[in-house]
Amino acid sequence: RYLRVTDPQCFTTKMRPYLLLSVQAFLSDSFAQSASSLRNINAENVSQRQLLDDALFDCEKGCDMAIGGPVCGDDDISYQNQCLAFCQDVIVKSAGECSGHHSMSDATYEDAVVTKAQLDRFKDEKFVFVGKRNFKNAQGDHMVSNKNAEATDGVVCAHRMTHDWDEYVAKIDLGGIDLNRNSTTGQLPLGVENDRHLQDNNRGVVGGDNRYRVPYNEIIYYPYTAIGEFYSSSGDFGCTGTVVSKSAVLTNAHCRFKDGKFTSIDSFAPGVYRRQGEVTFPEGEWIPQYWTILSGWFSAEELKYDIAIAHFNPNMYRGSTRADLNIGELTGYVGIEATTNDSNKLQKATVTGYPHDKPFGTMWTSGSCTFQKGYDDAITYHTCDSTVGNDGSALLDINRATAYGVDAGEVPVGPQYPGQVYVNLGVIFTDDNIDLISQLVS
């Protein structure tokens, strides 16, 4: 056994390193020997119970990824090896990946030992552990496991990847989500009684666009404290995110996975502001414990699925030194609400975040803008000024502290698109997806 921990006392906000926590436990020689016969599994349909002796795998000790090959479970989910399926009570339908799924034999799959705690980590949310990955030095596209997992009517596939590349998949039955609500309620930071100090007279139009810089004496108050920036360790990519629960931040899926690869985004800083030339991180920088993205984005990068949720923990990878409080308890969080893509409520939304064409550490808002119907019920076209860096900004009604969706990108305009004059689009929360999003953020 070995334990490698970097000293968090060495960290600075400029360095933005990972907090690496890696624990590896090796199975006994007798266990490894008893399971070695599974390294060359026959490529034919087999029954889990016919293939395996109950004593073959000791699930309390975990699963050795070096033993055995990929299998397809009777849940039509592919697993890196048989032990993963067996120890998560899944019957093996066939050897090899499920039909249409990408290979689970490339160099990104690690021969590590997966503990029982890792297997059970998201069991209550119906996520199963499917693979131990490492994309840090991967060449070519980053193929997620079960990328092409089929979703039937009323069932969606969600993927979850942890900070240290544990990969999970869930098939979520929308009919089984019994929330029956079209919104969640925002929350002030703990210990704060007043909500905001809006001082419009301190704003000023910058340049020829309609964006306004949000001044320091507004950013330090809710709900601006719930808006932050995702940073990349390489320094070449970033997005805006908005805290929407005690532990979750909403942004775009393309901020985490774009053009077939995981991006280098690795930290989030809420409420960043610049004052007299100095950038301040009032609650430090936080490293997401894991990300949740819907399969519709991984399989086709379809815009209506361009929503991602970064999840945080009060005890690990935290940015603040304030004990035992999670990110949303420190910053406050906004509510989310279902709407239609041209509703009167949506007309009051803005795009507020950290555009890259403005000085580092400055927050800007679009001010008022107009929304119209998009090509899908979950898509809206809008006139809110936004640039690179605003990716992931909430379509946010500041006065209600309520998000109706996320800013996603540009749409084509020109003679070949008659009648299309709005250059930006957003993904909104609808009656069809609000219960799912509410469950995932909570």
Side-chain angles (χ1 to χ4, degrees), residues 15 77 108 180 187 195 218 227 239 242 291 331 336 404 407 428 439:
M15 292 169 63
I77 292 176
T108 66
N180 294 319
Q187 175 65 51
D195 55 356
E218 288 189 22
I227 302 171
C239 284
T242 306
W291 292 76
T331 65
I336 63 174
Y404 299 109
D407 185 43
I428 63 168
Q439 174 174 290

Side-chain angles (χ1 to χ4, degrees), residues 37 59 64 69 132 174 191 236 276 298 312 323 331 385 387 410:
S37 61
C59 298
D64 186 348
K132 181 61 182 174
L174 299 181
D236 60 358
Q276 297 179 344
F298 282 121
F312 298 84
T331 65
D385 290 323
T387 64
E410 297 179 346

Side-chain angles (χ1 to χ4, degrees), residues 378-401:
I379 299 297
T380 182
Y381 298 139
H382 64 79
T383 61
C384 303
D385 290 323
S386 62
T387 64
V388 174
N390 281 122
D391 306 62
S393 295
L395 304 179
L396 180 65
D397 183 333
I398 291 291
N399 290 318
R400 294 189 65 223

Side-chain angles (χ1 to χ4, degrees), residues 47-271:
S47 163
Q48 174 86 56
R49 294 300 180 256
Q50 291 175 340
L51 181 66
L52 300 175
D53 185 332
D54 287 342
L56 185 60
F57 293 130
D58 185 345
C59 298
E60 293 300 317
K61 294 181 179 179
C63 290
D64 186 348
M65 296 297 96
I67 298 173
V71 296
C72 177
D74 64 349
D75 52 3
D76 292 319
I77 292 176
S78 299
Y79 296 83
Q80 188 175 344
N81 72 5
Q82 293 169 285
C83 182
L84 292 181
F86 178 83
C87 290
Q88 295 178 99
D89 298 321
V90 176
I91 303 299
V92 170
K93 183 168 67 174
S94 64
E97 300 83 353
C98 298
S99 177
H101 293 189
H102 289 288
S103 170
M104 302 181 82
S105 301
D106 64 46
T108 66
Y109 289 88
E110 292 194 319
D111 291 342
V113 172
V114 177
T115 67
K116 178 174 173 53
Q118 289 170 282
L119 294 177
D120 294 343
R121 183 173 181 182
F122 304 116
K123 185 176 180 179
D124 291 344
E125 298 177 72
K126 311 301 183 184
F127 279 85
V128 290
F129 191 109
V130 297
K132 181 61 182 174
R133 313 296 298 277
N134 190 337
F135 290 101
K136 290 182 180 179
N137 299 311
Q139 302 296 318
D141 287 353
H142 298 169
M143 296 299 184
V144 297
S145 302
N146 298 274
K147 177 178 178 180
N148 296 324
E150 293 185 3
T152 57
D153 289 343
V155 176
V156 298
C157 295
H159 292 251
R160 184 166 284 178
M161 191 77 74
T162 69
H163 170 64
D164 43 4
W165 302 111
D166 291 347
E167 188 175 19
Y168 299 81
V169 170
K171 288 191 171 182
I172 302 174
D173 182 358
L174 299 181
I177 302 176
D178 189 22
L179 296 180
N180 294 319
R181 64 188 184 195
N182 68 351
S183 65
T184 64
T185 303
Q187 175 65 51
L188 293 166
L190 289 182
V192 175
E193 296 181 1
N194 59 323
D195 55 356
R196 59 184 72 86
H197 287 229
L198 296 179
Q199 300 182 26
D200 289 337
N201 59 327
N202 287 332
R203 290 181 175 176
V205 176
V206 178
D209 60 34
N210 294 318
R211 289 176 295 172
Y212 297 81
R213 178 174 174 177
V214 182
Y216 153 78
N217 54 359
E218 288 189 22
I219 295 176
I220 60 176
Y221 292 104
Y222 175 85
Y224 293 111
T225 52
I227 302 171
E229 187 170 9
F230 282 100
Y231 296 110
S232 162
S233 56
S234 63
D236 60 358
F237 190 68
C239 284
T240 297
T242 306
V243 187
V244 290
S245 76
K246 291 181 180 180
S247 60
V249 172
L250 177 74
T251 189
N252 285 138
H254 75 251
C255 293
R256 187 63 182 119
F257 189 87
K258 184 178 182 180
D259 299 329
K261 294 180 181 293
F262 286 96
T263 68
S264 55
I265 276 183
D266 50 32
S267 63
F268 176 75

Side-chain angles (χ1 to χ4, degrees), residues 261-316:
K261 294 180 181 293
F262 286 96
T263 68
S264 55
I265 276 183
D266 50 32
S267 63
F268 176 75
V272 180
Y273 62 84
R274 175 186 287 268
R275 188 184 187 194
Q276 297 179 344
E278 182 177 346
V279 177
T280 299
F281 299 78
E283 299 298 347
E285 293 184 72
W286 295 63
I287 296 175
Q289 272 206 305
Y290 52 93
W291 292 76
T292 303
I293 298 175
L294 298 178
S295 184
W297 180 255
F298 282 121
S299 60
E301 297 196 4
E302 190 174 350
L303 278 171
K304 68 179 181 179
Y305 297 111
D306 196 4
I307 295 174
I309 301 161
H311 305 261
F312 298 84
N313 184 286
N315 300 313
M316 296 180 66

